Amino acid sequence: MLRNDRHDSSHETGTAGWATGARSRRRASEKLVAAAEESGFDAIFTAEAWGSDAFTPLAWWGRETSRVRLGTSIVQMSGRTPTSIAMHALTLDHLTNGRVILGMGVSGPQVVEGWYGQPFEKPLARTREVVSIIRKVLAREAPVTNDGPHHALPYRGPGSVGLGKPLKPIVHPLRADLPIWLGAEGPKNVAQTAEIADGWIPIFYTPRSAGMYQPWLDEGFARPGARRTRADFEIAATCHLQVVEDAAQKQAVIEGMKPFVSLYMGGMGAKEQNFHNQVFTRMGYGEPGRRGAGACTWPGRRTRPPA
């Protein structure tokens, strides 16, 4: 897939993104990375769900590139402590000479509680804490502390032996301002992203739905202490790009996309709380979204995509 994400017209825009998988896909991804580097693309992104992680492929492909930016889209915040995420990011940033974009998101309750064994409640407050702690690690101005309530440093809760002490990284980060982008879908999350992050990773964004997001972004930019403005805030919107020769091939591509869309409508979130499905409803596709929610459950199972 291709993403258009730079506002600066002096840069070639676009990113290549994928999720790692089988050996054949790995070889295809290696070719895609090389083509992105050679062709002047701005960035490449990796993803993670409940299989391969997002950081390791960037370290692997970072050795084969020298210019293209390397981003995660997205790192699931509940899979690691905030300081661990910061360690991954600052290490990779050193190895790649300052080319990392740290893209993060809350995921959903099925994955957070079912795969990582962590509570999902109050995802907005958790996101704010994670971003704050990571920025403290990268700034390296003082030992890192956080009062919580979600990520207390030092930890003093149940099971603590009381010997924890505030620390700061022994490795000096290459960039204190390493960019942090957030995946966000709902109005409160998008507004918070515009307030505290350097960029936004929307999903299923379309020109038709752009107007829906504008007031949410404006709310975040207008908050006291907002980190960015529209002038320097980056947005990496995703689209599927495939060159076809005729109408038949075009229809085949569309048919091939339906299981993917159905997976997000129904399989990437609990039936009672599916943020991806809610995006389709907000965009005016409530009925297809309801059909998609009933047609697909989890990857690996047989799916029946909506028509």
Side-chain angles (χ1 to χ4, degrees):
M1 68 182 80
L2 297 181
R3 293 176 181 163
N4 210 10
D5 63 312
R6 289 291 295 214
H7 298 295
D8 185 350
S9 60
S10 66
H11 289 78
E12 290 292 329
T13 60
T15 65
W18 58 89
T20 56
R23 182 178 300 178
S24 60
R25 181 176 294 180
R26 188 194 72 193
R27 289 195 294 264
S29 295
E30 290 172 350
K31 293 180 180 179
L32 189 60
V33 169
E37 169 82 0
E38 180 181 353
S39 302
F41 280 85
D42 177 69
I44 61 175
F45 285 83
T46 53
E48 64 183 17
W50 49 92
S52 59
D53 77 285
F55 286 112
T56 305
L58 293 182
W60 182 268
W61 293 317
R63 293 187 70 248
E64 306 301 323
T65 58
S66 61
R67 182 199 53 77
V68 68
R69 293 195 294 175
L70 306 167
T72 54
S73 176
I74 58 170
V75 163
Q76 298 166 320
M77 287 184 282
S78 294
R80 306 164 184 84
T81 64
T83 48
S84 176
I85 296 174
M87 290 169 62
H88 280 76
L90 73 86
T91 302
L92 188 58
D93 206 41
H94 269 291
L95 293 174
T96 60
N97 196 28
R99 292 187 283 142
V100 170
I101 300 167
L102 178 58
M104 301 187 296
V106 298
S107 189
Q110 279 193 156
V111 174
V112 171
E113 297 185 355
W115 182 250
Y116 295 120
Q118 298 296 315
F120 185 75
E121 66 174 355
K122 299 182 178 179
L124 290 178
R126 288 178 180 274
T127 298
R128 188 175 291 271
E129 276 193 32
V130 169
V131 172
S132 175
I133 292 170
I134 291 173
R135 294 206 190 280
K136 289 179 182 179
V137 173
L138 296 175
R140 203 179 178 274
E141 294 174 347
V144 177
T145 61
N146 185 63
D147 293 334
H150 305 291
H151 299 283
L153 293 173
Y155 178 71
R156 301 291 190 222
S160 168
V161 297
L163 299 178
K165 60 178 292 185
L167 301 169
K168 61 181 179 180
I170 56 177
V171 174
H172 290 246
L174 184 64
R175 296 182 294 167
D177 61 346
L178 187 153
I180 296 176
W181 296 5
L182 295 175
E185 297 175 275
K188 293 181 179 179
N189 203 356
V190 171
Q192 178 171 272
T193 296
E195 175 193 357
I196 68 174
D198 302 298
W200 173 40
I201 306 172
I203 190 169
F204 301 118
Y205 182 97
T206 68
R208 177 182 174 186
S209 65
M212 176 178 68
Y213 295 106
Q214 300 311 313
W216 308 348
L217 292 166
D218 288 338
E219 178 187 340
F221 292 135
R223 290 176 181 174
R227 182 174 173 85
R228 298 285 180 179
T229 68
R230 282 187 176 275
D232 58 1
F233 186 78
E234 297 196 71
I235 300 176
T238 303
C239 71
H240 182 89
L241 176 63
Q242 187 166 337
V243 179
V244 298
E245 295 183 358
D246 52 38
Q249 284 191 4
K250 176 182 177 181
Q251 188 59 40
V253 172
I254 293 173
E255 293 300 320
M257 288 294 294
K258 286 184 178 180
F260 170 79
V261 175
S262 179
L263 169 63
Y264 274 84
M265 284 181 171
M268 295 289 277
K271 188 175 182 180
E272 299 79 8
Q273 191 176 35
N274 185 329
F275 302 121
H276 303 312
N277 190 280
Q278 292 169 13
V279 171
F280 288 99
T281 299
R282 293 190 189 98
M283 292 168 61
Y285 302 109
E287 180 55 34
R290 284 188 289 274
R291 295 203 307 272
C296 179
T297 52
W298 288 92
R301 296 184 182 178
R302 199 173 189 85
T303 62
R304 176 175 48 83

